[in-house]
Amino acid sequence: MKETKQEQEKEISTEDKIKEAARKLFTQKGFDAVRTRDIAEEAGINLALLNYYFRSKQKLFDIIMLENFRKFLQLISGKLLAEGFTRDEKIEKLVELYIDMLIENPDLPLFILNEMRGNPSKLAMEIDSQTGVLRSNFFKEIQGDADGKIAGMEPLNFVANLIGLMVYPFAAKPILQWVTGVNDDEFNRIMQERKKLVPVWIKAIMQSSEGGREAASR
Amino acid sequence: MKETKQEQEKEISTEDKIKEAARKLFTQKGFDAVRTRDIAEEAGINLALLNYYFRSKQKLFDIIMLENFRKFLQLISGKLLAEGFTRDEKIEKLVELYIDMLIENPDLPLFILNEMRGNPSKLAMEIDSQTGVLRSNFFKEIQGDADGKIAGMEPLNFVANLIGLMVYPFAAKPILQWVTGVNDDEFNRIMQERKKLVPVWIKAIMQSSEGGREAASR
DNA sequence: GTCTATAAAGTGATAGAC
DNA sequence: GTCTATCACTTTATAGAC
């Protein structure tokens, strides 16, 4: 019989089918815009099964949300930053890992930005405990100056610039494609190039900010 | 009688009260997350009046959406760019105007990003005709090179970097505040400073990208 | 585990009195 | 113009048969 373990080509449990359908839709459209019926249809199962496996739409969403946050934060909190690399090397590796992840998950940035808008503190604590990232970790690893600044910049500016240069093109992908007429393949090619470019730009920004204090560093 | 034109302190028409309540809620939370009842309550009026003045929730949303887009695009399409300024001057003025606008309307970026995700082309054409911005205008004014690049960069990279450095801190405001522990006042102070910093950073980025082709421009 | 049928609550919109 | 009451429909969630 063809009833063994691989019926057609992939054997996915019903629970996972629902979860994957939910991940896709929730990440793309957010909690309110998705109906449980959409998820059931996308998963190819009956509506009642959703409540059988996950107690409610909200609980299913919470699971997806936590996993999405973890995916987004694990790179920042990763051991990478703790190894023996220089600051520039840390930035180079972080950018490469991050942009690769973003090419695979282009909807993640907007999802995160939207979720953080609503419940920053409530979510944040949950995430902190789940991922083990104390929010100061990132800074310790990236080396602040004696006055708490990074290369002469406000920490907020440094983080905003670094994360923004990585994340913003993905959050604004439709706008940028509309403005520039770039198609999906070209977009991904440009993002690949940005893996090398963003670290260069970040260094240029840091040098322009450091300029005022120490005339020559080498 | 106290029934003249200024009863308590401000005389706002019911229609405008509804519109302002709708603008606030729609811009903050998006179409799906807002109930018509929320708008009515926020406006301090009855639910039925919403449908009396605006035929439906959707029509009310469309009005807000168009106004939000116009606010976001008018600076890019403004006459500023067409005056006799140099490229650097154009960037300086654009950044200053933009960040001032964003400080006044911090929810605008996320709203725009979310709306553009769904219906880029449909919306885009509507906007184009409403605002009179052909999407190429911005590039003409900002001076591309002979090969279509801007200071040696892909146009998409130039736009993403420029807009991203202005917009991203506002889109990610809660995250950045959580990570850095910065309060609202400090955040706004840093954004004020960014009006001067972003142009400097953009120039640093352009120089690092131009480096490969022309050794010295001055 | 999976389905159909339906309950229970929410939500946009309108009718009609004032 | 503004209100109350209510309709019509959607949506989440569950009960119960198989």
Side-chain angles (χ1 to χ4, degrees), chain A residues 187-200:
Chain A
F187 182 86
N188 280 337
R189 172 183 63 77
I190 294 174
M191 292 306 113
Q192 289 289 349
E193 293 172 3
R194 282 178 80 93
K195 291 197 290 190
K196 297 294 180 194
L197 291 172
V198 168
V200 174

Side-chain angles (χ1 to χ4, degrees), chain A residues 1-129:
Chain A
M1 315 352 184
K2 53 183 174 182
E3 286 271 321
T4 49
K5 280 295 179 182
Q6 311 81 315
E7 191 172 337
Q8 308 217 352
E9 50 183 21
K10 39 188 173 183
E11 184 69 10
I12 309 174
S13 73
T14 301
E15 187 171 353
D16 283 344
K17 279 195 288 188
I18 297 173
K19 213 168 125 181
E20 283 318 303
R23 181 193 321 287
K24 175 180 170 184
L25 293 176
F26 279 143
T27 307
Q28 268 179 9
K29 307 163 42 150
F31 181 83
D32 292 294
V34 174
R35 321 287 105 163
T36 51
R37 282 169 171 76
D38 303 336
I39 300 176
E41 188 185 7
E42 173 78 25
I45 54 96
N46 189 276
L47 171 59
L49 286 179
L50 190 150
N51 293 85
Y52 174 77
Y53 282 105
F54 309 88
R55 271 179 43 86
S56 69
K57 177 188 180 184
Q58 184 65 53
K59 292 217 188 298
L60 177 52
F61 180 80
D62 289 345
I63 293 173
I64 302 302
M65 191 192 58
L66 270 178
E67 292 187 1
N68 278 354
F69 269 89
R70 237 175 264 151
K71 189 177 289 177
F72 198 79
L73 288 178
Q74 68 186 359
L75 300 179
I76 287 188
S77 64
K79 326 90 201 172
L80 237 188
L81 292 175
E83 304 293 335
F85 301 118
T86 66
R87 181 170 68 186
D88 284 356
E89 287 169 340
K90 285 176 183 172
I91 291 173
E92 284 166 14
K93 288 179 187 297
L94 182 73
V95 169
E96 180 160 8
L97 284 175
Y98 234 101
I99 291 184
D100 273 337
M101 184 275 287
L102 290 168
I103 290 173
E104 293 298 312
N105 306 274
D107 292 325
L108 218 44
L110 213 36
F111 177 90
I112 304 280
L113 292 175
N114 279 318
E115 286 310 307
M116 283 301 284
R117 171 173 48 178
N119 18 18
S121 56
K122 202 197 70 173
L123 252 178
M125 305 192 61
E126 178 102 31
I127 308 300
D128 248 10
S129 67

Side-chain angles (χ1 to χ4, degrees), chain B residues 20-218:
Chain B
E20 283 319 304
R23 180 192 322 288
K24 175 181 171 185
L25 293 176
F26 279 143
T27 307
Q28 266 178 9
K29 311 174 21 156
F31 182 82
D32 293 295
V34 174
R35 321 287 104 165
T36 51
R37 281 168 175 77
D38 301 337
I39 299 176
E41 188 184 6
E42 174 78 27
I45 54 95
N46 188 276
L47 170 60
L49 285 180
L50 190 150
N51 293 86
Y52 174 77
Y53 282 105
F54 309 87
R55 270 180 43 86
S56 69
K57 178 188 181 185
Q58 184 65 53
K59 291 216 189 297
L60 178 53
F61 180 80
D62 289 345
I63 292 173
I64 303 301
M65 190 192 60
L66 270 177
E67 291 187 3
N68 278 354
F69 270 89
R70 235 175 267 153
K71 189 177 289 176
F72 197 80
L73 288 178
Q74 68 186 0
L75 300 178
I76 286 189
S77 63
K79 328 88 201 169
L80 237 186
L81 292 175
E83 303 293 334
F85 302 117
T86 66
R87 181 168 68 185
D88 284 356
E89 287 170 340
K90 285 177 184 174
I91 291 173
E92 283 166 15
K93 289 180 185 298
L94 182 72
V95 169
E96 181 161 6
L97 284 175
Y98 234 101
I99 291 183
D100 273 338
M101 184 274 288
L102 290 168
I103 290 173
E104 294 298 313
N105 306 274
D107 291 326
L108 217 46
L110 214 35
F111 176 89
I112 304 280
L113 292 175
N114 279 318
E115 286 310 308
M116 283 301 284
R117 170 172 49 178
N119 18 17
S121 55
K122 201 196 72 173
L123 252 178
M125 303 191 61
E126 179 102 30
I127 307 302
D128 247 11
S129 66
Q130 292 266 349
T131 60
V133 208
L134 273 317
R135 62 178 191 273
S136 50
N137 258 8
F138 181 66
F139 290 115
K140 290 205 209 99
E141 300 305 341
I142 222 70
Q143 305 166 13
D145 303 346
D147 54 0
K149 297 193 171 183
I150 297 170
M153 310 166 73
E154 293 273 0
L156 189 143
N157 279 333
F158 177 78
V159 182
N161 294 348
L162 176 58
I163 311 286
L165 285 177
M166 296 191 287
V167 156
Y168 180 78
F170 292 91
K173 184 180 175 190
I175 302 178
L176 293 171
Q177 290 193 107
W178 166 56
V179 173
T180 61
V182 159
N183 66 30
D184 279 2
D185 285 341
E186 292 168 328
F187 182 86
N188 280 336
R189 173 184 61 78
I190 295 175
M191 292 306 113
Q192 289 288 350
E193 293 173 3
R194 281 178 79 93
K195 292 198 289 190
K196 296 294 181 195
L197 292 171
V198 168
V200 174
W201 295 334
I202 288 289
K203 282 173 216 164
I205 287 176
M206 290 198 291
Q207 280 169 12
S208 80
S209 296
E210 262 172 340
R213 29 214 294 169
E214 15 185 14
S217 70
R218 60 177 59 191

